[in-house]
Amino acid sequence: MLQVTIMKTIIYMNKKNKNPKRRFSIYDCGVLELDRHHSSRKGNLTVIENGIDIPFNVKRSYFLYDVPGGESRGGHAHKELYQLIIAVSGSFSVTLDDSQTKRTFILNHPYQALYVSPGIWRTLDDFSSGAVCLVLASELYDENDYIRTYQEFTKYRKAL
Ligand code: TYD
């Protein structure tokens, strides 16, 4: 609960200070608890609405699935893109790295979303069988927004 309150405060501050060139750290990222409508008879429903449940407007969503066991995804950073990463089914781990410190999050609940700021290297590992990773992104796909090598990433971070 404390973690959720801290994340809400961080996101509020990020919204007020929306400068994509800010030097975000992994402590600007974290897990948000999403809205949950529970019915013991009919199951659960989670809603995500722009501007209400999440700190940016979603321009694009995509999902990763059928990732073979032992395979990794990600292995890049974004310059301006904000993301929410959700394990809508199964589980996987996400390691965030700001070039100083790394933090690994295990995502295994569809009502939790990992908020990732720009300028953070991420890798996704340990996909369970049947895992589906939903990504909500603040921008349309743009290859120029990617930093694809770790060497380029450390250089980019130093220049921020
Ligand atoms: P990539 O972002 O590298 O995947 P991951 O980080 O999950 O391993 O994307 C894989 C491929 O899909 C790459 O060729 C770019 C393409 N792609 C799109 O065309 N549009 C998109 O929105 C995304 C996310 C990827």
Side-chain angles (χ1 to χ4, degrees):
M1 190 62 206
L2 176 66
Q3 195 193 8
V4 173
T5 310
I6 293 170
M7 272 318 296
K8 282 190 173 158
T9 311
I10 289 169
I11 286 164
Y12 174 73
M13 285 160 67
N14 285 350
K15 260 174 134 178
K16 277 182 63 170
N17 186 5
K18 211 164 185 243
N19 171 8
K21 291 285 173 208
R22 252 190 68 198
R23 205 165 195 281
F24 288 110
S25 85
I26 52 165
Y27 299 106
D28 293 304
C29 306
V31 173
L32 288 171
E33 199 96 356
L34 300 170
D35 189 30
R36 229 185 332 166
H37 300 266
H38 171 70
S39 156
S40 49
R41 196 166 54 87
K42 295 203 286 182
N44 297 321
L45 182 149
T46 288
V47 186
I48 304 170
E49 288 185 290
N50 274 343
I52 298 173
D53 305 290
I54 58 171
F56 55 81
N57 283 328
V58 178
K59 285 197 185 156
R60 178 171 54 110
S61 52
Y62 60 91
F63 38 98
L64 303 169
Y65 51 95
D66 293 345
V67 179
E71 202 45 77
S72 259
R73 303 290 309 218
H76 62 251
H78 287 279
K79 295 173 189 163
E80 300 200 2
L81 187 81
Y82 292 80
Q83 284 182 327
L84 282 176
I85 303 177
I86 303 165
V88 288
S89 182
S91 64
F92 51 86
S93 65
V94 185
T95 301
L96 302 181
D97 176 352
D98 60 15
S99 79
Q100 303 285 318
T101 315
K102 289 183 189 180
R103 253 172 115 189
T104 296
F105 298 84
I106 311 287
L107 296 182
N108 53 9
H109 293 297
Y111 55 84
Q112 289 182 337
L114 178 63
Y115 171 74
V116 185
S117 319
I120 304 288
W121 189 265
R122 88 288 316 276
T123 40
L124 285 72
D125 297 286
D126 308 322
F127 283 85
S128 69
S129 157
V132 180
C133 167
L134 172 65
V135 180
L136 305 179
S138 66
E139 306 297 335
L140 299 179
Y141 175 72
D142 177 5
E143 188 57 38
N144 293 323
D145 190 63
Y146 279 78
I147 303 168
R148 291 273 190 195
T149 69
Y150 198 78
Q151 195 185 14
E152 194 195 335
F153 172 65
T154 49
K155 210 169 131 191
Y156 178 84
R157 291 287 310 192
K158 278 188 191 137
L160 278 177

